[in-house]
Amino acid sequence: MQFIDLEKQYELYQSDIQHRMDQVLAHGKFINGPEIQELEEKFAGYVHRQYAIGCASGTDALFMALLALDIGHGDEVITTPFTWISSAEVISLVGATPRFVDIQPDTFNIDPAQIEPAINSNTKAILPVDLFGQMADYERINQIAEKHNLAVIEDAAQSFGAQQNKQPARSQGDIACTSFFPAKPLGCYGDGGCCFTDDDTLAQRLRAIRNHGGEQRHHHTRVGLNGRLDTMQAAILLAKWPYFDQEITAGARIGARYNELLQDVCTVPYLKPQNTSVFAQYTIRCSDRDGLKDH
């Protein structure tokens, strides 16, 4: 059973996708082509942020965010252990230490009540993860961060299109990050990601970091990486973009139907009243998980 049927999706949008890809092949600007700026402008408006900075993957987006915030050796970043490895991996890659706190048992997202006791003099940021399609409790997380003067990096790899109190995912924190891995709510046909921020300085740093730390050719002001989003992947995302809202609506309808039919036989996903979910994964709990899987 496929969570996202990419073959069927391609059949539906094939002419749009092919048209966009043909345009890239015709103009030949495979790196930093015009589709990159077009995509960034559309996405920034969608999430109500000043800047969107496309990059090579969701992992690179998180890595770039930490670099832009000058987090490194001796620093600690509070995050959740119940996530894909990227969330903690990038913290170690910049030389900092991931400080794990547990999750809420209903949403599987980081528990804000456990964040504050984990803060110490080395803590520089909080990195919540929006797991399975709904956002973490940013109202409480942002209050804690403001109280202790900490940065917040939103890992929204699984929540692109979701909302909290009618505010979109990627609108939280100093920098928000997402992924366009093919199986994500909005996926390209390879790796891709994006960072979002309202801060002029952070946006400038992120653009430099994704291009080897250079703000102009052969002038490298920071240590960066080759983290650019491919023009072809941006073109594919632009082709899918007009259909994204209707896919979110369909996912919510199907998720509600699953809940209705499964609620008496297993624990179905809990959605907080202030949240919507894009159901990046529909995750159930049952008393005999391994037995059900084998069956």
Side-chain angles (χ1 to χ4, degrees), residues 46-247:
Y46 182 71
V47 303
H48 306 161
R49 299 302 290 258
Q50 189 71 27
Y51 303 105
I53 298 94
C55 59
S57 69
T59 303
D60 275 357
L62 293 169
F63 187 36
M64 288 165 48
L66 292 166
L67 291 173
L69 291 165
D70 291 324
I71 293 171
H73 291 279
D75 297 333
E76 292 187 4
V77 178
I78 294 173
T79 192
T80 164
F82 194 61
T83 177
W84 179 243
I85 192 171
S86 296
S87 309
E89 177 182 48
V90 292
I91 298 170
S92 298
L93 281 172
V94 299
T97 300
R99 177 69 63 186
F100 294 123
V101 303
D102 213 343
I103 56 172
Q104 295 175 316
D106 51 3
T107 66
F108 307 112
N109 283 329
I110 193 168
D111 186 354
Q114 299 192 43
I115 291 176
E116 196 158 20
I119 295 172
N120 60 50
S121 60
N122 295 321
T123 307
K124 294 298 185 293
I126 306 169
L127 199 160
V129 179
D130 303 341
L131 204 67
F132 298 150
Q134 74 170 312
M135 297 167 65
D137 189 346
Y138 286 99
E139 184 175 356
R140 294 170 65 191
I141 292 168
N142 288 335
Q143 288 173 353
I144 295 167
E146 185 175 355
K147 177 181 176 182
H148 295 275
N149 194 29
L150 302 176
V152 175
I153 302 169
E154 180 187 6
D155 183 342
Q158 293 190 10
S159 66
F160 196 87
Q163 293 189 350
Q164 183 170 93
N165 294 318
K166 299 184 178 179
Q167 294 298 312
R170 294 89 49 218
S171 65
Q172 302 296 322
D174 298 87
I175 302 174
C177 304
T178 199
S179 167
F180 302 122
F181 184 79
K184 292 297 191 289
L186 179 64
C188 54
Y189 290 164
D191 278 309
C194 198
C195 295
F196 304 88
T197 187
D198 289 322
D199 187 287
D200 297 347
T201 300
L202 288 177
Q204 185 178 17
R205 290 178 183 177
L206 288 164
R207 288 196 187 96
I209 290 167
R210 74 172 172 184
N211 192 32
H212 300 284
E215 296 181 27
Q216 62 188 61
R217 189 171 176 81
H218 302 314
H219 185 67
H220 303 272
T221 56
R222 307 178 65 87
V223 173
L225 64 151
N226 182 1
R228 298 181 297 255
L229 176 64
D230 285 346
T231 305
M232 190 67 80
Q233 301 302 339
I236 291 163
L237 290 168
L238 285 167
K240 288 185 173 188
W241 183 242
Y243 307 100
F244 185 51
D245 282 344
Q246 68 187 44
E247 289 194 352

Side-chain angles (χ1 to χ4, degrees), residues 254-288:
I254 295 166
R257 181 64 170 158
Y258 283 177
N259 284 354
E260 178 186 352
L261 295 171
L262 294 173
Q263 61 186 343
D264 294 333
V265 294
C266 62
T267 302
V268 299
Y270 171 73
L271 187 61
K272 288 195 170 184
Q274 69 269 31
N275 286 350
T276 66
S277 177
V278 289
F279 291 104
Q281 296 183 34
Y282 184 91
T283 305
I284 63 171
R285 288 191 293 172
C286 57
S287 57
D288 184 11

